[in-house]
Structure formats: structure tokens, C-alpha cells
């Protein structure tokens, strides 16, 4: 039996401490399992996808999507400029938004 100090602890302190310790051990072991699984993926997570996605919607729809994402601040914690987002989308989808981007930029600053 554990020595108890009746002034410092109660009769159930040890039981609670064991429960908390077991919870922490469980979290640690789950994290370690996730790390092992990620290591097993290895090069698979680093490689580029085999599928090339093409934007098949209208250019206006893509620009509206970019505006929505920019407004929500989902890129670089809201620090990404709309122009940078547009250039990225043009590169990813291999699409030229050309004059439409300039038209929408003008509307933004009016």
C-alpha cells in the first residue's frame, strides 16, 4: 500500500493518478503508431499524383472560387495576395485567365 499523508492526499488520489497516467500512455502510443504508419508510406506521400486535373468549368467560375477562397483567408493564414492565388491556379490547372483576371481586379479596387 502506498504511504498516504492524510493532510496532503485523499484515499482515491492514487487511483485517479493511475487513470490519468494510462490516458497519457494511450495518447503517446497512438501518436507513435501514427508516426510508424507515416514512415511506412515513405516515398508515397512525397510523390506527385499521377492524374493531371483539368479545369472544365468556366473561367468566371474559377475566378469566383479564387475570390471566395481569398475572402475566407484560407491561403497562408490570409496573407496570400489575390494575384498570387490567381497565378497559382493558372499554373495548377494550366489555364490562361488572361483579361478576365484584370477585369476582376479592376472591379475589386473600384
Amino acid at each position: 500500500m502506498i504511504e498516504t499523508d492524510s493532510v496532503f492526499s485523499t484515499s482515491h488520489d492514487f487511483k485517479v493518478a493511475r487513470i490519468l497516467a494510462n490516458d497519457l500512455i494511450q495518447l503517446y502510443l497512438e501518436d507513435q503508431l501514427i508516426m510508424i504508419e507515416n514512415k511506412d508510406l515513405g516515398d508515397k506521400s512525397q510523390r506527385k499524383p499521377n492524374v493531371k486535373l483539368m479545369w472544365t468549368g468556366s473561367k468566371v467560375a474559377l475566378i469566383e472560387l479564387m475570390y471566395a477562397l481569398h475572402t475566407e483567408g484560407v491561403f497562408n493564414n490570409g496573407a496570400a495576395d489575390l494575384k498570387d492565388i490567381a497565378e497559382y491556379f493558372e499554373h495548377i490547372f494550366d489555364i490562361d485567365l488572361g483579361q478576365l483576371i484584370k477585369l476582376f481586379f479592376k472591379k475589386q479596387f473600384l
Side-chain angles (χ1 to χ4, degrees):
M1 187 73 186
I2 297 177
E3 295 181 32
T4 59
D5 181 2
S6 60
V7 176
F8 181 71
S9 62
T10 65
S11 61
H12 290 85
D13 280 347
F14 182 69
K15 290 180 182 180
V16 172
R18 284 183 59 187
I19 291 170
L20 293 174
N22 285 330
D23 286 344
L24 291 173
I25 289 172
Q26 178 183 357
L27 290 174
Y28 172 78
L29 292 175
E30 288 173 351
D31 287 343
Q32 293 300 313
L33 286 173
I34 290 171
M35 288 175 58
I36 290 170
E37 289 172 0
N38 287 342
K39 285 182 183 177
D40 289 342
L41 293 176
D43 296 334
K44 293 179 185 175
S45 64
Q46 298 295 330
R47 65 177 202 173
K48 295 181 180 179
N50 292 333
V51 179
K52 173 75 172 157
L53 296 177
M54 298 298 294
W55 183 262
T56 56
S58 69
K59 291 181 180 183
V60 173
L62 180 59
I63 292 170
E64 288 177 355
L65 175 63
M66 289 185 294
Y67 267 98
L69 294 171
H70 178 260
T71 302
E72 286 298 313
V74 298
F75 296 113
N76 298 341
N77 294 320
D81 187 33
L82 189 57
K83 182 180 177 186
D84 296 332
I85 296 170
E87 289 175 0
Y88 184 78
F89 272 65
E90 283 182 319
H91 176 73
I92 291 294
F93 293 120
D94 193 23
I95 189 171
D96 180 28
L97 298 174
Q99 299 292 42
L100 286 175
I101 284 291
K102 291 179 184 176
L103 177 68
F104 275 87
F105 279 136
K106 286 181 184 176
K107 285 185 180 181
Q108 179 187 11
F109 296 113
L110 290 179

